């Protein structure tokens, strides 16, 4: 995919469309960064396809053999990646060289680990204990005229780990509290390397209808 200013021909536009479609259809996305160029705006633009589709991502820094190899180079480059890709904070980072084959095995190891996480199932009893503790440790803020109360949580099938929360009123669910619960679930049950999805429903809804 070329940079936006260079997308002039029909073929280039078609490549962008194909990239968006590939992100939609994929199970795992490998976001390739050229270490010799550093992070460019197009890297961030392409990453938005993954974020918009809530896809698992592994950030692959290629051509690391062409980069300087001072003691803290990988640490500093990783900090830069985390700063630029804030919405991919969960994504593992792999440094390799496709040309020399250096560290290629680490990429396949990360793919296997990510696939294990995507297929992990958490018992509802453990989920609800965690949700109860999370609410006791950090009560939801007043929002839209009320305070959120979560009565039940369970994991359902999804491309990424998906959890449905039954609450007193979905309109009370502030985005900051959603982020808090997402992080709590990640840290408690080992979903640190992938996105998760929270579905919020009124406790009056019937679960059998929602999971159909």
């Amino acid at each position: 995919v070329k940079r936006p200013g260079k997308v002039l021909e029909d073929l280039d536009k078609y490549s962008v469309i194909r990239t968006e479609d590939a992100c939609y259809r994929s199970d795992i996305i490998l976001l390739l960064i050229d270490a010799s160029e550093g992070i460019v705006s197009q890297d961030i633009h392409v990453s938005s396809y993954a974020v918009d589709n809530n896809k698992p991502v592994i950030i692959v820094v290629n051509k690391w053999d062409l980069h300087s190899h001072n003691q803290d180079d990988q640490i500093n480059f990783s900090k830069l990646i985390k700063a630029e890709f804030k919405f991919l904070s969960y994504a593992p980072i792999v440094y390799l060289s496709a040309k020399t084959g250096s560290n290629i095995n680490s990429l396949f190891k990360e793919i296997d680990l990510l696939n294990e996480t995507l297929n992990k199932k958490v018992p509802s009893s453990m989920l609800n204990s965690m949700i109860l503790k999370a609410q006791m440790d950090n009560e939801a803020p007043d929002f839209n005229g009320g305070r959120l109360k979560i009565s039940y949580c369970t994991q359902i099938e999804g491309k990424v780990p998906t959890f449905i929360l039954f609450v007193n009123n979905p309109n009370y669910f502030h985005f900051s509290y959603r982020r808090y619960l997402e992080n709590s679930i990640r840290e408690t049950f080992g979903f640190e390397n992938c996105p998760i999805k929270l579905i919020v429903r009124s406790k009056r809804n019937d679960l059998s209808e929602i999971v159909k």
Side-chain angles (χ1 to χ4, degrees):
V1 179
K2 294 183 179 179
R3 294 183 177 88
K6 294 184 178 180
V7 178
L8 301 175
E9 305 297 332
D10 289 342
L11 183 60
D12 295 329
K13 294 178 182 178
Y14 182 63
S15 296
V16 172
I17 294 171
R18 285 291 301 274
T19 300
E20 292 177 342
D21 183 59
C23 287
Y24 175 77
R25 291 183 292 104
S26 65
D27 295 316
I28 296 174
I29 293 173
L30 305 182
L31 178 62
L32 201 64
I33 294 176
D34 188 330
S36 64
E37 276 193 350
I39 299 171
V40 297
S41 60
Q42 187 65 355
D43 294 331
I44 299 171
H45 177 68
V46 171
S47 74
S48 69
Y49 301 154
V51 173
D52 291 344
N53 288 288
N54 204 33
K55 296 293 184 175
V57 175
I58 298 174
I59 298 175
V60 182
V61 183
N62 189 30
K63 300 184 181 179
W64 191 245
D65 56 311
L66 301 180
H67 195 279
S68 61
H69 287 76
N70 296 320
Q71 184 175 357
D72 296 328
D73 278 356
Q74 280 196 16
I75 295 174
N76 293 330
F77 204 94
S78 293
K79 288 180 179 178
L80 179 62
I81 289 172
K82 294 295 184 183
E84 293 290 346
F85 299 97
K86 291 183 175 67
F87 292 100
L88 292 176
S89 59
Y90 58 82
I93 304 172
V94 177
Y95 293 84
L96 55 77
S97 169
K99 183 178 180 179
T100 67
S102 173
N103 215 34
I104 290 289
N105 288 338
S106 293
L107 174 58
F108 291 101
K109 180 180 178 181
E110 287 294 345
I111 292 173
D112 289 340
L113 288 172
L114 182 51
N115 192 52
E116 288 179 13
T117 305
L118 294 173
N119 289 286
K120 183 182 296 186
K121 305 299 179 187
V122 180
S124 294
S125 58
M126 295 177 65
L127 267 175
N128 284 280
S129 294
M130 188 235 87
I131 292 294
L132 177 62
K133 184 178 186 303
Q135 291 184 96
M136 293 175 63
D137 291 344
N138 184 14
E139 190 177 26
D142 285 327
F143 183 62
N144 281 339
R147 189 183 299 275
L148 183 80
K149 298 294 182 183
I150 304 169
S151 57
Y152 186 71
C153 176
T154 190
Q155 186 176 4
I156 61 176
E157 291 297 322
K159 292 291 186 180
V160 298
T162 303
F163 305 90
I164 187 164
L165 303 172
F166 292 93
V167 305
N168 55 338
N169 189 331
N171 293 324
Y172 298 161
F173 203 178
H174 192 271
F175 73 90
S176 64
Y177 204 69
R178 175 186 290 270
R179 184 62 55 86
Y180 163 67
L181 291 178
E182 286 177 353
N183 290 335
S184 297
I185 291 173
R186 277 206 184 93
E187 294 170 6
T188 303
F189 300 112
F191 292 105
E192 290 97 337
N193 61 346
C194 72
I196 64 174
K197 183 178 181 180
L198 298 185
I199 299 174
V200 183
R201 292 288 185 270
S202 169
K203 62 183 179 182
R204 293 185 297 274
N205 288 120
D206 184 72
L207 178 62
S208 62
E209 294 181 0
I210 293 171
V211 299
K212 282 181 180 177

